[in-house]
Amino acid sequence: MKQSRLGTLEVTSIGLGTAPLGGLFAPVSDADAEATIARGWSAGIRFYDTAPLYGFGLAEWRLGAFLRQQPRDSYAISTKVGRLLRAPDGVAAEDDHYKSGQRERPVFDFSHDGVMRSVEESLIRLGLDRVDVLLVHDPDDHYDDAVAGAFRALKRLRADGTVKAIGAGMNQSEMLVRFAEAVPVDCFLLAGRYTLLDQGALDALFPVCGERNIGVLLGGIYNSGILANPHAGAKFNYQDADAVLIARARELDELCRKHGTELKAAALQFCMAHPAVTVAVMGARNATEVADNIAMSESTVPPGFWQELRARKLVDARAPLPGGA
């Protein structure tokens, strides 16, 4: 599998995202979770992204159980800070997104000490002695705390060699630009904001990342599912997609069919064509989905598709397309 550089790390250009293994939208069995990670490993994936939020610790437990069996220097792993998992006083209400069965629930904490606790607790769940990348997770309403607290802790951990790269993971690009200007970060994880349906990252984020040599880990490439299967009721940005978005996704799907290719292949290869993108982080809930993601990255998308995509102005004119179309 193609390799990329992320600061001092060598990573595979496709990574495995573990939000689905935490039960995002639907439960996943232990057996399916293990088979998913094992399939990614056998296919050559060596970059893994997780977070305390994903299944309220469940994704970290499951990922760590597999990675503990592998040579520690043979892969890179990222996790996130900003949420501590704590048991509620009473019965835990069912979460809208994660169907994990875990009792603990996330509590925002972007303080220096909270971040240090978060790292310690993630390492316990993972059963590892270190992670390679630490990302401040969803600090949308906590910019000041993130800069003064969370990033102060992350810079300390990077300086003493505990981690190799630091950054932030968000579903928006605007605040990531602010972080790039305020903090010496190595990478960002951007979810759902550079896809066939949303190229907002082209405005400011990708240019500043290029200027400052900040790597981009790109998640949400299928926009929560609508670019995998644009049916009525499909998800976009973790919510039910509206009719306008479904119509746009179906138009893209029809164009793919016209050119004898698949929407998923076009969606993934479109994202990977941008030079700012270091790793395409692809979520999966079973081994079949992992194999499919890899197949979509290698599938032939005819040049004529990209040419017509450009001619019909279905993507931002500034977006680079595979093959220079």
Side-chain angles (χ1 to χ4, degrees), residues 81 83 108 110 136-144 146 151 168-170 172 175-176 179:
V81 298
R83 289 177 173 90
F108 281 121
F110 293 94
V136 180
H137 200 186
D138 295 338
D140 301 75
D141 299 319
H142 306 273
Y143 176 83
D144 291 336
F151 276 114
M170 302 186 73
Q172 58 150 300
M175 189 173 287
L176 294 181
F179 285 135

PDB file of all heavy atoms in Angstrom, residues 81 83 108 110 136-144 146 151 168-170 172 175-176 179:
ATOM      1  N   VAL A  81      -8.333  13.703  22.386  1.00  0.00           N
ATOM      2  CA  VAL A  81      -8.515  14.220  23.745  1.00  0.00           C
ATOM      3  C   VAL A  81      -9.583  15.307  23.714  1.00  0.00           C
ATOM      4  O   VAL A  81      -9.908  15.845  22.664  1.00  0.00           O
ATOM      5  CB  VAL A  81      -7.195  14.784  24.306  1.00  0.00           C
ATOM      6  CG1 VAL A  81      -6.127  13.698  24.401  1.00  0.00           C
ATOM      7  CG2 VAL A  81      -6.681  15.952  23.453  1.00  0.00           C
ATOM      8  N   ARG A  83     -12.530  14.757  25.674  1.00  0.00           N
ATOM      9  CA  ARG A  83     -13.677  14.122  26.310  1.00  0.00           C
ATOM     10  C   ARG A  83     -13.177  13.070  27.290  1.00  0.00           C
ATOM     11  O   ARG A  83     -12.427  12.175  26.912  1.00  0.00           O
ATOM     12  CB  ARG A  83     -14.592  13.442  25.283  1.00  0.00           C
ATOM     13  CG  ARG A  83     -15.390  14.385  24.384  1.00  0.00           C
ATOM     14  CD  ARG A  83     -16.179  13.543  23.403  1.00  0.00           C
ATOM     15  NE  ARG A  83     -17.114  14.285  22.580  1.00  0.00           N
ATOM     16  CZ  ARG A  83     -16.831  14.814  21.400  1.00  0.00           C
ATOM     17  NH1 ARG A  83     -15.603  14.698  20.919  1.00  0.00           N
ATOM     18  NH2 ARG A  83     -17.753  15.450  20.698  1.00  0.00           N
ATOM     19  N   PHE A 108     -16.969  16.835  28.255  1.00  0.00           N
ATOM     20  CA  PHE A 108     -15.946  17.698  27.672  1.00  0.00           C
ATOM     21  C   PHE A 108     -14.975  18.175  28.741  1.00  0.00           C
ATOM     22  O   PHE A 108     -15.370  18.600  29.827  1.00  0.00           O
ATOM     23  CB  PHE A 108     -16.578  18.923  27.003  1.00  0.00           C
ATOM     24  CG  PHE A 108     -17.155  18.646  25.644  1.00  0.00           C
ATOM     25  CD1 PHE A 108     -18.503  18.875  25.391  1.00  0.00           C
ATOM     26  CD2 PHE A 108     -16.356  18.182  24.610  1.00  0.00           C
ATOM     27  CE1 PHE A 108     -19.036  18.631  24.134  1.00  0.00           C
ATOM     28  CE2 PHE A 108     -16.885  17.926  23.348  1.00  0.00           C
ATOM     29  CZ  PHE A 108     -18.230  18.159  23.105  1.00  0.00           C
ATOM     30  N   PHE A 110     -11.206  20.233  28.147  1.00  0.00           N
ATOM     31  CA  PHE A 110     -10.076  20.636  27.321  1.00  0.00           C
ATOM     32  C   PHE A 110      -8.965  21.275  28.142  1.00  0.00           C
ATOM     33  O   PHE A 110      -8.095  21.956  27.592  1.00  0.00           O
ATOM     34  CB  PHE A 110     -10.551  21.604  26.227  1.00  0.00           C
ATOM     35  CG  PHE A 110     -11.460  20.966  25.213  1.00  0.00           C
ATOM     36  CD1 PHE A 110     -12.839  21.031  25.361  1.00  0.00           C
ATOM     37  CD2 PHE A 110     -10.940  20.266  24.131  1.00  0.00           C
ATOM     38  CE1 PHE A 110     -13.682  20.435  24.436  1.00  0.00           C
ATOM     39  CE2 PHE A 110     -11.778  19.661  23.201  1.00  0.00           C
ATOM     40  CZ  PHE A 110     -13.151  19.745  23.355  1.00  0.00           C
ATOM     41  N   VAL A 136      -6.916  17.066  19.336  1.00  0.00           N
ATOM     42  CA  VAL A 136      -7.955  17.702  20.145  1.00  0.00           C
ATOM     43  C   VAL A 136      -9.273  17.514  19.406  1.00  0.00           C
ATOM     44  O   VAL A 136      -9.404  17.906  18.239  1.00  0.00           O
ATOM     45  CB  VAL A 136      -7.648  19.193  20.367  1.00  0.00           C
ATOM     46  CG1 VAL A 136      -8.736  19.841  21.215  1.00  0.00           C
ATOM     47  CG2 VAL A 136      -6.285  19.369  21.027  1.00  0.00           C
ATOM     48  N   HIS A 137     -10.260  16.911  20.073  1.00  0.00           N
ATOM     49  CA  HIS A 137     -11.461  16.411  19.408  1.00  0.00           C
ATOM     50  C   HIS A 137     -12.652  17.353  19.581  1.00  0.00           C
ATOM     51  O   HIS A 137     -13.124  17.589  20.688  1.00  0.00           O
ATOM     52  CB  HIS A 137     -11.806  15.037  19.995  1.00  0.00           C
ATOM     53  CG  HIS A 137     -12.702  14.212  19.125  1.00  0.00           C
ATOM     54  ND1 HIS A 137     -13.234  13.005  19.522  1.00  0.00           N
ATOM     55  CD2 HIS A 137     -13.164  14.405  17.859  1.00  0.00           C
ATOM     56  CE1 HIS A 137     -13.959  12.497  18.556  1.00  0.00           C
ATOM     57  NE2 HIS A 137     -13.950  13.342  17.543  1.00  0.00           N
ATOM     58  N   ASP A 138     -13.132  17.895  18.482  1.00  0.00           N
ATOM     59  CA  ASP A 138     -14.371  18.693  18.447  1.00  0.00           C
ATOM     60  C   ASP A 138     -14.398  19.840  19.459  1.00  0.00           C
ATOM     61  O   ASP A 138     -15.364  19.971  20.234  1.00  0.00           O
ATOM     62  CB  ASP A 138     -15.585  17.795  18.694  1.00  0.00           C
ATOM     63  CG  ASP A 138     -15.815  16.769  17.608  1.00  0.00           C
ATOM     64  OD1 ASP A 138     -15.334  16.984  16.483  1.00  0.00           O
ATOM     65  OD2 ASP A 138     -16.472  15.742  17.889  1.00  0.00           O
ATOM     66  N   PRO A 139     -13.393  20.718  19.446  1.00  0.00           N
ATOM     67  CA  PRO A 139     -13.430  21.844  20.389  1.00  0.00           C
ATOM     68  C   PRO A 139     -14.232  23.033  19.861  1.00  0.00           C
ATOM     69  O   PRO A 139     -13.873  24.193  20.101  1.00  0.00           O
ATOM     70  CB  PRO A 139     -11.944  22.204  20.529  1.00  0.00           C
ATOM     71  CG  PRO A 139     -11.382  21.887  19.185  1.00  0.00           C
ATOM     72  CD  PRO A 139     -12.137  20.675  18.683  1.00  0.00           C
ATOM     73  N   ASP A 140     -15.321  22.785  19.137  1.00  0.00           N
ATOM     74  CA  ASP A 140     -16.070  23.843  18.457  1.00  0.00           C
ATOM     75  C   ASP A 140     -16.440  25.001  19.369  1.00  0.00           C
ATOM     76  O   ASP A 140     -16.348  26.166  18.975  1.00  0.00           O
ATOM     77  CB  ASP A 140     -17.346  23.253  17.836  1.00  0.00           C
ATOM     78  CG  ASP A 140     -17.050  22.146  16.842  1.00  0.00           C
ATOM     79  OD1 ASP A 140     -16.699  21.039  17.279  1.00  0.00           O
ATOM     80  OD2 ASP A 140     -17.176  22.387  15.634  1.00  0.00           O
ATOM     81  N   ASP A 141     -16.876  24.697  20.581  1.00  0.00           N
ATOM     82  CA  ASP A 141     -17.302  25.744  21.519  1.00  0.00           C
ATOM     83  C   ASP A 141     -16.265  25.986  22.609  1.00  0.00           C
ATOM     84  O   ASP A 141     -16.575  26.582  23.644  1.00  0.00           O
ATOM     85  CB  ASP A 141     -18.634  25.343  22.162  1.00  0.00           C
ATOM     86  CG  ASP A 141     -19.737  25.171  21.136  1.00  0.00           C
ATOM     87  OD1 ASP A 141     -19.813  25.992  20.198  1.00  0.00           O
ATOM     88  OD2 ASP A 141     -20.515  24.202  21.258  1.00  0.00           O
ATOM     89  N   HIS A 142     -15.024  25.539  22.370  1.00  0.00           N
ATOM     90  CA  HIS A 142     -14.004  25.583  23.427  1.00  0.00           C
ATOM     91  C   HIS A 142     -12.647  26.027  22.877  1.00  0.00           C
ATOM     92  O   HIS A 142     -11.605  25.525  23.303  1.00  0.00           O
ATOM     93  CB  HIS A 142     -13.862  24.201  24.070  1.00  0.00           C
ATOM     94  CG  HIS A 142     -15.155  23.628  24.574  1.00  0.00           C
ATOM     95  ND1 HIS A 142     -15.650  23.881  25.829  1.00  0.00           N
ATOM     96  CD2 HIS A 142     -16.072  22.820  23.962  1.00  0.00           C
ATOM     97  CE1 HIS A 142     -16.802  23.236  25.995  1.00  0.00           C
ATOM     98  NE2 HIS A 142     -17.074  22.598  24.880  1.00  0.00           N
ATOM     99  N   TYR A 143     -12.654  26.975  21.956  1.00  0.00           N
ATOM    100  CA  TYR A 143     -11.399  27.375  21.317  1.00  0.00           C
ATOM    101  C   TYR A 143     -10.367  27.839  22.343  1.00  0.00           C
ATOM    102  O   TYR A 143      -9.214  27.385  22.317  1.00  0.00           O
ATOM    103  CB  TYR A 143     -11.653  28.484  20.298  1.00  0.00           C
ATOM    104  CG  TYR A 143     -10.383  29.015  19.662  1.00  0.00           C
ATOM    105  CD1 TYR A 143      -9.793  28.362  18.590  1.00  0.00           C
ATOM    106  CD2 TYR A 143      -9.762  30.164  20.165  1.00  0.00           C
ATOM    107  CE1 TYR A 143      -8.617  28.825  18.016  1.00  0.00           C
ATOM    108  CE2 TYR A 143      -8.589  30.639  19.607  1.00  0.00           C
ATOM    109  CZ  TYR A 143      -8.020  29.972  18.528  1.00  0.00           C
ATOM    110  OH  TYR A 143      -6.845  30.430  17.987  1.00  0.00           O
ATOM    111  N   ASP A 144     -10.741  28.745  23.216  1.00  0.00           N
ATOM    112  CA  ASP A 144      -9.782  29.301  24.176  1.00  0.00           C
ATOM    113  C   ASP A 144      -9.236  28.219  25.102  1.00  0.00           C
ATOM    114  O   ASP A 144      -8.019  28.183  25.376  1.00  0.00           O
ATOM    115  CB  ASP A 144     -10.427  30.421  25.000  1.00  0.00           C
ATOM    116  CG  ASP A 144     -10.728  31.656  24.165  1.00  0.00           C
ATOM    117  OD1 ASP A 144     -10.066  31.838  23.116  1.00  0.00           O
ATOM    118  OD2 ASP A 144     -11.631  32.429  24.540  1.00  0.00           O
ATOM    119  N   ALA A 146      -9.013  25.077  24.450  1.00  0.00           N
ATOM    120  CA  ALA A 146      -8.171  24.180  23.666  1.00  0.00           C
ATOM    121  C   ALA A 146      -6.773  24.753  23.499  1.00  0.00           C
ATOM    122  O   ALA A 146      -5.770  24.042  23.649  1.00  0.00           O
ATOM    123  CB  ALA A 146      -8.811  23.921  22.307  1.00  0.00           C
ATOM    124  N   PHE A 151      -3.841  22.128  24.005  1.00  0.00           N
ATOM    125  CA  PHE A 151      -2.648  22.181  23.163  1.00  0.00           C
ATOM    126  C   PHE A 151      -1.377  22.388  23.984  1.00  0.00           C
ATOM    127  O   PHE A 151      -0.299  21.947  23.579  1.00  0.00           O
ATOM    128  CB  PHE A 151      -2.784  23.254  22.087  1.00  0.00           C
ATOM    129  CG  PHE A 151      -3.514  22.776  20.874  1.00  0.00           C
ATOM    130  CD1 PHE A 151      -4.754  23.307  20.530  1.00  0.00           C
ATOM    131  CD2 PHE A 151      -2.987  21.776  20.067  1.00  0.00           C
ATOM    132  CE1 PHE A 151      -5.434  22.860  19.415  1.00  0.00           C
ATOM    133  CE2 PHE A 151      -3.667  21.318  18.947  1.00  0.00           C
ATOM    134  CZ  PHE A 151      -4.889  21.858  18.617  1.00  0.00           C
ATOM    135  N   ALA A 168      -5.687  18.576  15.624  1.00  0.00           N
ATOM    136  CA  ALA A 168      -7.093  18.613  16.024  1.00  0.00           C
ATOM    137  C   ALA A 168      -7.917  17.838  15.017  1.00  0.00           C
ATOM    138  O   ALA A 168      -7.549  17.714  13.847  1.00  0.00           O
ATOM    139  CB  ALA A 168      -7.594  20.052  16.130  1.00  0.00           C
ATOM    140  N   GLY A 169      -9.037  17.317  15.482  1.00  0.00           N
ATOM    141  CA  GLY A 169      -9.970  16.610  14.623  1.00  0.00           C
ATOM    142  C   GLY A 169     -11.339  17.244  14.732  1.00  0.00           C
ATOM    143  O   GLY A 169     -11.898  17.329  15.835  1.00  0.00           O
ATOM    144  N   MET A 170     -11.895  17.700  13.588  1.00  0.00           N
ATOM    145  CA  MET A 170     -13.162  18.416  13.625  1.00  0.00           C
ATOM    146  C   MET A 170     -13.975  18.139  12.368  1.00  0.00           C
ATOM    147  O   MET A 170     -13.461  17.650  11.363  1.00  0.00           O
ATOM    148  CB  MET A 170     -12.922  19.934  13.752  1.00  0.00           C
ATOM    149  CG  MET A 170     -12.111  20.342  14.974  1.00  0.00           C
ATOM    150  SD  MET A 170     -12.006  22.142  15.191  1.00  0.00           S
ATOM    151  CE  MET A 170     -13.677  22.505  15.757  1.00  0.00           C
ATOM    152  N   GLN A 172     -15.386  20.698  10.868  1.00  0.00           N
ATOM    153  CA  GLN A 172     -15.404  22.015  10.247  1.00  0.00           C
ATOM    154  C   GLN A 172     -13.971  22.414   9.947  1.00  0.00           C
ATOM    155  O   GLN A 172     -13.022  21.927  10.572  1.00  0.00           O
ATOM    156  CB  GLN A 172     -16.039  23.066  11.170  1.00  0.00           C
ATOM    157  CG  GLN A 172     -15.327  23.198  12.518  1.00  0.00           C
ATOM    158  CD  GLN A 172     -15.410  24.601  13.110  1.00  0.00           C
ATOM    159  OE1 GLN A 172     -14.946  25.553  12.504  1.00  0.00           O
ATOM    160  NE2 GLN A 172     -16.013  24.703  14.297  1.00  0.00           N
ATOM    161  N   MET A 175     -12.288  26.613  12.159  1.00  0.00           N
ATOM    162  CA  MET A 175     -11.520  26.662  13.396  1.00  0.00           C
ATOM    163  C   MET A 175     -10.168  25.997  13.240  1.00  0.00           C
ATOM    164  O   MET A 175      -9.196  26.396  13.900  1.00  0.00           O
ATOM    165  CB  MET A 175     -12.300  26.039  14.559  1.00  0.00           C
ATOM    166  CG  MET A 175     -11.634  26.255  15.921  1.00  0.00           C
ATOM    167  SD  MET A 175     -12.626  25.713  17.328  1.00  0.00           S
ATOM    168  CE  MET A 175     -13.874  27.008  17.352  1.00  0.00           C
ATOM    169  N   LEU A 176     -10.075  25.023  12.365  1.00  0.00           N
ATOM    170  CA  LEU A 176      -8.768  24.415  12.123  1.00  0.00           C
ATOM    171  C   LEU A 176      -7.799  25.444  11.553  1.00  0.00           C
ATOM    172  O   LEU A 176      -6.598  25.420  11.869  1.00  0.00           O
ATOM    173  CB  LEU A 176      -8.906  23.227  11.174  1.00  0.00           C
ATOM    174  CG  LEU A 176      -9.689  22.021  11.716  1.00  0.00           C
ATOM    175  CD1 LEU A 176      -9.730  20.907  10.665  1.00  0.00           C
ATOM    176  CD2 LEU A 176      -9.092  21.498  13.024  1.00  0.00           C
ATOM    177  N   PHE A 179      -6.516  27.342  14.480  1.00  0.00           N
ATOM    178  CA  PHE A 179      -5.508  26.564  15.212  1.00  0.00           C
ATOM    179  C   PHE A 179      -4.171  26.563  14.467  1.00  0.00           C
ATOM    180  O   PHE A 179      -3.106  26.664  15.085  1.00  0.00           O
ATOM    181  CB  PHE A 179      -5.988  25.129  15.420  1.00  0.00           C
ATOM    182  CG  PHE A 179      -7.043  24.974  16.464  1.00  0.00           C
ATOM    183  CD1 PHE A 179      -8.157  24.176  16.237  1.00  0.00           C
ATOM    184  CD2 PHE A 179      -6.939  25.616  17.692  1.00  0.00           C
ATOM    185  CE1 PHE A 179      -9.136  24.022  17.204  1.00  0.00           C
ATOM    186  CE2 PHE A 179      -7.917  25.468  18.665  1.00  0.00           C
ATOM    187  CZ  PHE A 179      -9.020  24.672  18.424  1.00  0.00           C
TER     188      PHE A 179
END
